[in-house]
Amino acid sequence: MQAATPASSVVIARWAAVISLIALILLGLVWELWLAPTGRGTLALKVLPLCIPLAGLLKSRMYTYRWLSLMVWLYFTEGVVRAWSDKAPGNWLALLEVLLCIVLFVACTFHIRLRLKHAKALPANPEEPTTRPAP
């Protein structure tokens, strides 16, 4: 049996999510270690939770897209707070974090919706029975 190929829009949404997640990880590291470090750079550890879903996104696991779309709001909130309270260049980096969070959320949401829509559009396997056998 041949596996169904995902629609190009699903692939685009997947790569948008992967790229924005990687950009968010890199931004967090560069921000806290070189551009506008706070303290001894220990805030760079905030990117560790973002590394966990990367494997799930690359493997197109639907569950990962779902919980990442919720987890990203923590980083969005941090970006909004720091954009309001930090001085330059930290506030500009925080605005970039907010933008990347929005892109990641939208990409995850579109990926989920498009995959579900694509799955419903696939024809049923003719080899599988559509009704259960009578007892």
Side-chain angles (χ1 to χ4, degrees):
M1 188 166 90
Q2 199 172 354
T5 58
S8 63
S9 55
V10 174
V11 174
I12 291 170
R14 174 179 174 244
W15 283 111
V18 169
I19 290 169
S20 60
L21 179 62
I22 291 171
L24 198 56
I25 292 169
L26 292 176
L27 173 68
L29 289 174
V30 171
W31 179 3
E32 298 299 342
L33 295 176
W34 291 287
L35 296 178
T38 53
R40 290 188 241 167
T42 54
L43 263 177
L45 294 174
K46 71 181 181 184
V47 300
L48 284 179
L50 290 173
C51 296
I52 296 168
L54 190 55
L57 291 186
L58 292 173
K59 294 178 182 178
S60 287
R61 293 190 173 154
M62 182 75 86
Y63 183 75
T64 304
Y65 283 90
R66 288 178 174 164
W67 67 261
L68 179 60
S69 67
L70 298 174
M71 185 180 88
V72 74
W73 290 110
L74 295 172
Y75 294 88
F76 175 84
T77 304
E78 183 223 7
V80 169
V81 169
R82 291 186 72 179
W84 187 263
S85 62
D86 282 6
K87 296 177 183 174
N91 60 345
W92 296 106
L93 296 169
L95 286 173
L96 182 57
E97 179 181 33
V98 168
L99 178 68
L100 286 172
C101 287
I102 291 171
V103 170
L104 180 58
F105 175 76
V106 169
C108 285
T109 304
F110 276 136
H111 181 83
I112 293 166
R113 288 184 182 198
L114 292 171
R115 266 185 62 187
L116 290 175
K117 181 180 175 183
H118 182 68
K120 287 180 183 177
L122 290 177
N125 187 356
E127 296 172 3
E128 293 181 12
T130 56
T131 58
R132 291 191 296 171

